[in-house]
Amino acid sequence: MYHIAAQKKRENIAEYLIFMWQMEDLLRGVDFDVEKLNNTILAAIDDDDKRANSKKWFQKLAMEMRSDKAEVSGHHRETYEVLSELHLLQNTMLTVINDERFRTSYFAAKPLIDEFRLKADKIPKGDVETALTATYGFLTLRLAGKKISEETSAAVRIITEYLAQLAAAYRDLHAGRLPLNN
């Protein structure tokens, strides 16, 4: 699992965060008993090194979540650090870089994000976290086989386009390709 997380972090930071939230929920679901994962999910990994590294990764994540008081809800510190970085990047894309494609996707998603924020039981802090929460909820409903309205599906498509634009900007930023001198 660690190799999947590392790949997602390199390729698509939004997918990485959603993956990490899934792994956090998975650990909560087994009461942070990594041995339960060892006998189920990790046993399916054919490569011994990947299996051992994934077990260590889960153990480290479990320890960090406990240290960060995220046993019941919330996220471990790296997740919040990435969310903060994405929030700053979003503001930079809107105000400094003024990227038209990003602005278009953001302003198309903004009313939907605000609407979701109003409906949520817990109000996430910013647009990025709210958009990710909406997407995570949508994916969870799909995995559970729940019926999802076309209106909700259309809204999530618009929100995920915004997240894709933000993830591309994040990748460009970390590759030194983001035009910060506009």
Side-chain angles (χ1 to χ4, degrees):
M1 294 298 175
Y2 84 95
H3 55 286
I4 294 171
Q7 180 180 356
K8 287 188 178 297
K9 190 172 185 180
R10 277 190 315 275
E11 295 175 1
N12 187 318
I13 198 66
E15 286 182 10
Y16 167 76
L17 288 171
I18 289 172
F19 178 79
M20 291 305 297
W21 290 0
Q22 290 172 319
M23 297 303 99
E24 290 169 346
D25 284 344
L26 180 61
L27 281 169
R28 289 181 187 113
V30 296
D31 296 318
F32 295 88
D33 184 351
V34 176
E35 287 306 316
K36 288 180 183 175
L37 297 178
N38 194 46
N39 297 327
T40 54
I41 293 170
L42 296 177
I45 300 173
D46 292 336
D47 184 292
D48 290 340
D49 287 337
K50 283 185 179 178
R51 186 173 43 257
N53 287 333
S54 291
K55 183 177 180 180
K56 287 178 192 173
W57 181 78
F58 270 117
Q59 289 168 329
K60 181 178 182 239
L61 180 59
M63 183 184 70
E64 288 173 356
M65 287 176 68
R66 284 186 174 123
S67 172
D68 296 340
K69 308 285 188 247
E71 295 98 327
V72 176
S73 65
H75 307 291
H76 76 298
R77 71 190 79 116
E78 181 188 352
T79 300
Y80 286 122
E81 290 168 5
V82 172
L83 281 169
S84 292
E85 190 175 358
L86 287 173
H87 177 75
L88 290 171
L89 177 59
Q90 171 186 282
N91 290 340
T92 301
M93 294 295 289
L94 292 171
T95 60
V96 176
I97 296 174
N98 218 359
D99 182 277
E100 193 55 41
R101 188 168 177 205
F102 179 79
R103 290 177 63 80
T104 299
S105 67
Y106 172 74
F107 286 114
K110 178 70 170 143
L112 302 167
I113 293 167
D114 290 342
E115 183 180 339
F116 179 79
R117 184 182 290 116
L118 291 173
K119 291 179 181 179
D121 291 337
K122 288 183 173 179
I123 300 174
K125 294 185 173 150
D127 291 343
V128 176
E129 187 173 0
T130 303
L132 287 163
T133 301
T135 304
Y136 184 63
F138 176 81
L139 293 172
T140 301
L141 289 173
R142 280 186 54 199
L143 284 172
K146 303 288 184 183
K147 184 171 171 55
I148 300 169
S149 72
E150 181 51 42
E151 182 181 300
T152 298
S153 295
V156 170
R157 280 192 295 275
I158 292 167
I159 289 171
T160 56
E161 173 58 27
Y162 148 70
L163 289 172
Q165 292 292 320
L166 186 59
Y170 182 89
R171 193 174 45 252
D172 287 347
L173 174 67
H174 285 270
R177 295 187 306 256
L178 199 62
L180 294 173
N181 57 351
N182 285 359

